[in-house]
Amino acid sequence: MEPFPADLIAQIATKLFRESSHTPTTGVPAGVPHGVPAVAPDNIRERLPTIPGMASHPNPLAIPEATHGSFPNVPHAVPVHSMNPSVAPSPMPGSMGSPTMQSPANPTELFGRAAPSASTPAVRPMTQDGLQRFVHGVRHQTPVQRNDCLGGEATRVRTRYDGIAAISSPTSQGLDVGSIRNDFPILNQRVHGQPLAWLDNAATTQKPQVVIDAISEFYATDNSNIHRAAHTLAARATEAYEQARTTVAKFLGARSEKDIVFARGTTEAINLVANTYGLRYLKKGDEILLSMVEHHANIVPWQMVAKRKGAEIKVIPVNDRGEIIMDEYLRLLNPKTRIVSLTHASNSLGTILPVAEMAHMAKRYGARVLVDGAQSVSHMPVNVRSMGCDFFVFSGHKIFGPTGIGALYIAEELHDVLPPWQGGGNMIKNVTFEKTTYSEAPAKFEAGTPNIADAVGLKAALDYVSRIGLPNIAAHEHSLLENATQQLSAIPGLRIIGTAREKVSVISFVLEGHSTEEIGKALDQAGIAVRSGHHCAQPSLRRFGVETTVRPSFSLYNHAGEIDRMVDVVRSLARK
Ligand code: PMP
């Protein structure tokens, strides 16, 4: 993570001192940026929601230090600087084996471009600094080299699947895309006679065989309702479900599995927070801060709650690259700010938001922080504790898991003070017609029979990603993003919307004289699936004066040949 810029720290300090000029401030604890008052102004403390239990906390505004918790072996809990990029991804037990190695008769036909010659630049070695950037996002000014993701020694092979070229990269710097593609049966098909290129990963990701198997094996052998029976299958199903919760907790760097609530996905999880924290603690005149680049799922639930409670929504603007304007954010933060709800990565522009820095700033005002990880979890390691958020949400289907399952992280200190959302079975301790007492978290937030089989599928997906390693995935996607950005930018009349220095592997673009729908259809005819439309993030696109864009988005199983095919279609449309 980059250090706080000195001018930003000075601004925070000035603002806090200005607003608390009547309030004496005390010393600065370790870990707090120099110049920032350690104790929030008294007026902020007074405006904290009256949360039972908070009073007993010595300093409800204190920023918890990120600690290494009970999951020391989790790659995501490992600080980025200590990761060793030279360690090759471990073999994937779920892999369906290595592709048969054969020389393709005509590599140009297979890949839609010439095979690399001796003069093709060798892969750029990934430095520690490079890894850091990959993990935190992409900088456009980085020199672009094609074929980065394939490794200098990339070997082109024809695999078992229908004429679709794969690239076997035995080097530690790239993923073995050929082998990975073998794990995803859906990729082995043609659409309109062309090999399917799935470049719609921001909408949903494809599922590896291990996930498909985990779900079908659960139904074939272990299916039962959970938590409520003495029989063997109930015990097995309960164990499988709870193991999935533990896996999610480790994946997010949570303190304990008790911090993880299963939900249908990101949308439902945000609604849960809005309808518990929001309805219980928001008051008239309170403010909810959202960024300009939020998905509708992180706008509409807050609007609904704000309307009921008389609270106000304030929007953090972005600059012309689609990056948060931090001094505007600082200006908007004030003692009335109750919640800051931010996407970790924008699904329409790709921008990665500096959520850890933003959370730290929000905490100075006693605000709660929700991070929407729908577009980040599959691209970068996440640690909810070092991020300093109170809530973190994501959807399983965006990270190679099933639809209909997702997770909500709730920081421990909020477990008891949040009311339940839905009522029913599973979430109670005792029920009489007069009164019900509730279970502890997480059961308190999971009324009714949960989506057991898909939780099992989600566990398989997270295990799969962990075996490959998010830093390796991030590095591969970074190369694809740079490659596509460079090629698309060179097309006359094409405008990329969202050019943030820190991006996940999403590109939004428009092409003069062609509707986004027309481009999407032309790409489909070539077997290439991309999203065209408003991406459920209308305010973010309107900020740039457009209603819709074409949005290719890349994942671990994509390769440079697919990008070349996409660029060829767009280039030929541009010539018309
Ligand atoms: N937030 C973001 C950033 C998203 O990209 C999405 C899905 N496109 C959502 C929220 C909503 O996710 P879901 O539909 O899985 O609930």
Side-chain angles (χ1 to χ4, degrees):
M1 189 182 308
E2 292 180 0
F4 278 88
D7 57 339
L8 197 55
I9 293 167
Q11 281 178 52
I12 302 170
T14 312
K15 184 174 162 63
L16 282 167
F17 277 117
R18 202 177 47 234
E19 282 166 9
S20 61
S21 50
H22 62 287
T23 312
T25 52
T26 55
V28 179
V32 174
H34 182 67
V36 177
V39 176
D42 284 348
N43 60 338
I44 296 176
R45 209 184 281 255
E46 280 157 22
R47 299 180 86 115
L48 276 173
T50 39
I51 300 177
M54 282 277 280
S56 62
H57 196 291
N59 176 5
L61 299 177
I63 298 168
E65 280 291 307
T67 47
H68 291 286
S70 39
F71 307 114
N73 297 324
V74 178
H76 312 97
V78 175
V80 168
H81 56 76
S82 72
M83 290 171 184
N84 180 359
S86 65
V87 175
S90 52
M92 288 168 284
S95 164
M96 288 158 70
S98 300
T100 319
M101 301 284 252
Q102 282 175 16
S103 296
N106 181 350
T108 308
E109 183 200 325
L110 286 175
F111 292 87
R113 63 186 169 144
S117 66
S119 62
T120 303
V123 66
R124 185 178 61 237
M126 197 193 303
T127 59
Q128 287 290 350
D129 175 55
L131 180 68
Q132 186 109 10
R133 279 189 297 99
F134 291 144
V135 169
H136 290 289
V138 169
R139 287 186 191 282
H140 278 283
Q141 63 265 38
T142 308
V144 174
Q145 287 182 344
R146 296 182 61 187
N147 300 337
D148 279 6
C149 56
L150 311 180
E153 314 303 322
T155 313
R156 278 129 210 292
V157 294
R158 188 190 292 274
T159 67
R160 68 169 175 78
Y161 41 82
D162 183 19
I164 301 167
I167 297 115
S168 171
S169 168
T171 70
S172 61
Q173 286 143 354
L175 295 184
D176 184 347
V177 178
S179 170
I180 285 172
R181 289 180 70 91
N182 274 342
D183 294 337
F184 291 82
I186 202 167
L187 299 178
N188 179 23
Q189 65 176 293
R190 287 176 181 265
V191 169
H192 300 301
Q194 301 295 325
L196 169 64
W198 184 257
L199 304 182
D200 195 14
N201 295 289
T204 200
T205 50
Q206 299 302 350
K207 317 305 169 202
Q209 191 63 48
V210 278
V211 169
I212 300 166
D213 288 348
I215 298 167
S216 73
E217 274 165 30
F218 174 81
Y219 281 124
T221 59
D222 298 335
N223 180 47
S224 165
N225 210 326
I226 55 169
H227 293 154
R228 289 187 280 261
H231 58 72
T232 301
L233 265 58
R236 274 197 231 144
T238 303
E239 197 189 334
Y241 183 70
E242 293 305 330
Q243 271 177 5
R245 197 191 303 280
T246 304
T247 300
V248 173
K250 289 179 180 175
F251 195 81
L252 299 182
R255 177 196 59 97
S256 150
E257 57 279 350
K258 290 189 185 135
D259 302 343
I260 304 300
V261 173
F262 282 117
R264 264 197 308 132
T266 305
T267 304
E268 189 176 69
I270 297 173
N271 275 276
L272 191 157
V273 177
N275 283 282
T276 54
Y277 179 79
L279 277 189
R280 169 70 61 94
Y281 297 112
L282 283 174
K283 304 184 304 295
K284 191 170 170 44
D286 282 346
E287 293 178 1
I288 300 165
L289 279 195
L290 308 175
S291 85
M292 179 64 84
V293 297
E294 297 307 320
H295 188 280
H296 298 164
N298 199 23
I299 300 174
V300 185
W302 295 115
Q303 268 172 347
M304 293 163 86
V305 169
K307 200 165 170 204
R308 283 175 69 177
K309 304 296 289 190
E312 229 184 298
I313 290 185
K314 301 273 175 172
V315 182
I316 312 159
V318 293
N319 63 22
D320 290 345
R321 290 191 295 262
E323 298 163 328
I324 294 291
I325 305 174
M326 289 299 264
D327 50 4
E328 291 293 333
Y329 172 55
L330 272 173
R331 240 189 294 283
L332 284 167
L333 275 174
N334 75 78
K336 287 187 285 184
T337 310
R338 285 269 67 80
I339 183 136
V340 178
S341 196
L342 301 167
T343 192
H344 196 177
S346 153
N347 70 315
S348 55
L349 311 179
T351 312
I352 297 173
L353 276 67
V355 286
E357 287 92 327
M358 294 176 82
H360 275 60
M361 292 172 194
K363 293 279 160 175
R364 293 286 164 194
Y365 289 87
R368 295 293 175 189
V369 177
L370 182 148
V371 175
D372 169 356
Q375 294 296 337
S376 63
V377 280
S378 67
H379 301 297
M380 65 185 96
V382 163
N383 186 304
V384 287
R385 282 177 300 159
S386 52
M387 199 181 277
C389 58
D390 299 288
F391 307 102
F392 185 93
V393 298
F394 75 95
S395 301
H397 71 96
K398 307 270 191 197
I399 182 162
F400 317 110
T403 50
I405 188 80
L408 160 64
Y409 159 82
I410 305 180
E412 186 193 11
E413 68 183 58
L414 289 169
H415 289 186
D416 295 336
V417 299
L418 289 183
W421 178 27
Q422 297 175 325
N426 197 46
M427 49 78 76
I428 55 91
K429 264 190 193 139
N430 191 51
V431 177
T432 67
F433 279 107
E434 289 71 40
K435 186 175 175 349
T436 294
T437 50
Y438 304 124
S439 307
E440 322 231 295
K444 178 165 110 181
F445 303 107
E446 292 183 2
T449 301
N451 187 348
I452 309 162
D454 290 322
V456 171
L458 176 59
K459 174 183 169 22
L462 299 184
D463 287 344
Y464 179 84
V465 168
S466 298
R467 283 197 294 271
I468 296 171
L470 274 163
N472 296 316
I473 294 171
H476 174 67
E477 292 174 348
H478 167 85
S479 297
L480 297 176
L481 179 63
E482 287 199 328
N483 177 349
T485 303
Q486 190 195 45
Q487 294 202 65
L488 287 171
S489 323
I491 296 175
L494 189 143
R495 176 183 166 210
I496 292 183
I497 310 289
T499 49
R501 285 161 293 186
E502 310 282 339
K503 277 184 77 171
V504 291
S505 49
V506 163
I507 304 184
S508 252
F509 70 87
V510 288
L511 181 65
E512 212 178 296
H514 300 272
S515 75
T516 53
E517 198 186 344
E518 178 194 353
I519 300 165
K521 283 186 174 152
L523 286 164
D524 178 57
Q525 285 304 311
I528 302 162
V530 300
R531 181 89 0 175
S532 47
H534 59 52
H535 321 304
C536 297
Q538 287 177 318
S540 71
L541 296 186
R542 288 181 183 145
R543 159 64 180 80
F544 294 87
V546 295
E547 284 292 319
T548 60
T549 64
V550 182
R551 185 196 64 182
S553 48
F554 313 118
S555 189
L556 78 176
Y557 38 62
N558 295 125
H559 58 80
E562 293 175 321
I563 290 172
D564 291 348
R565 283 170 56 201
M566 172 188 75
V567 169
D568 284 348
V569 173
V570 179
R571 203 184 280 127
S572 56
L573 272 178
R575 284 198 205 103
K576 284 184 190 159

